[in-house]
């Protein structure tokens, strides 16, 4: 039984991929049995920051919550990319005005 569980956890974990010759961690699509723990730690912190907000948030607000220097655009844009990636994979929702919120 424990071997079966270990196998299921391994198959649910994000698989590393190759981009430009470097190994990267792929963000899995959200499914009913998939937990946040399968996401890399920085993505888990982003999700937690969006959840703790009183309502939909802008990327700048998420950056402040996770400790990104939001005054530097070059540091804010990668965070925005991660937020969009979480939207694309079904972990978050992006509103038409550009704010992010959790899925219902």
């Amino acid at each position: 039984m424990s071997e079966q569980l270990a196998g299921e956890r391994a198959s649910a974990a994000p698989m590393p991929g190759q981009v430009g010759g470097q190994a990267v961690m792929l963000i899995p699509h959200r499914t009913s049995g998939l937990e946040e723990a399968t996401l890399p730690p920085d993505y888990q912190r982003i999700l937690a920051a969006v959840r703790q907000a009183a309502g939909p948030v802008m990327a700048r607000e998420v950056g402040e919550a996770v400790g990104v220097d939001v005054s530097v655009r070059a540091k804010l844009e990668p965070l925005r990319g991660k937020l969009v990636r979480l939207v694309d994979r079904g972990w978050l929702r992006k509103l038409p005005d550009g704010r992010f919120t959790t899925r219902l």
Side-chain angles (χ1 to χ4, degrees):
M1 184 67 144
S2 63
E3 292 176 1
Q4 181 182 2
L5 289 173
E8 289 175 8
R9 285 187 186 132
S11 66
M15 299 298 295
Q18 291 283 325
V19 173
Q22 294 183 333
V24 295
M25 186 64 67
L26 300 177
I27 307 304
H29 288 276
R30 183 178 183 194
T31 59
S32 61
L34 197 59
E35 297 178 14
E36 284 181 27
T38 59
L39 295 172
D42 52 340
Y43 286 87
Q44 291 178 27
R45 286 192 306 274
I46 291 169
L47 279 176
V50 173
R51 277 206 188 96
Q52 290 172 356
V57 292
M58 298 296 288
R60 179 175 302 278
E61 296 169 284
V62 176
E64 291 169 351
V66 298
V68 172
D69 183 6
V70 296
S71 65
V72 180
R73 185 176 176 109
K75 292 188 179 186
L76 187 58
E77 289 305 316
L79 173 65
R80 190 181 320 279
K82 289 179 181 181
L83 285 161
V84 170
R85 193 169 300 120
L86 288 170
V87 169
D88 292 343
R89 304 303 198 288
W91 293 96
L92 292 176
R93 189 172 59 134
K94 186 174 182 182
L95 301 177
D97 63 358
R99 295 181 299 159
F100 297 90
T101 186
T102 57
R103 302 283 307 172
L104 298 177

